[in-house]
Amino acid sequence: DAKLREVQGLRENAQQAFFGRIGPILAEILNERQALVVLDRRNVFAASEAADITDIAISRIDAEIGDGSGVSD
């Protein structure tokens, strides 16, 4: 039980750190596109393909912080 809480805490901390690092990158893309929000595709019923920033976001995040290949499990 304690080990599970420890692992969950590590995961939450890593997730918060990741979102903290990518926040400015996403904000820059939003500003460029004059967009207001970023939504998870799974929560969108319909949208224009032109509104999809997934590929550009992944590319910029990878360029800024790496693609994760150096991160161990």
Side-chain angles (χ1 to χ4, degrees), residues 22-39:
I22 69 167
I25 299 166
L26 295 176
E28 182 178 292
I29 295 169
L30 286 173
N31 187 43
E32 291 168 3
R33 298 280 185 116
Q34 298 179 339
L36 300 175
V37 296
V38 173
L39 300 172

Side-chain angles (χ1 to χ4, degrees), residues 10-68:
L10 291 171
R11 180 178 179 269
E12 289 172 11
N13 289 342
Q15 189 175 42
Q16 287 177 358
F18 175 72
F19 286 132
R21 300 267 319 263
I22 69 167
I25 299 166
L26 295 176
E28 182 178 292
I29 295 169
L30 286 173
N31 187 43
E32 291 168 3
R33 298 280 185 116
Q34 298 179 339
L36 300 175
V37 296
V38 173
L39 300 172
D40 185 327
R41 180 182 292 237
R42 295 172 291 189
N43 296 318
V44 176
F45 180 71
S48 165
E49 284 299 315
D52 187 353
I53 65 163
T54 302
D55 291 338
I56 192 166
I58 290 171
S59 177
R60 290 196 193 176
I61 291 166
D62 286 352
E64 182 75 26
I65 67 173
D67 64 3

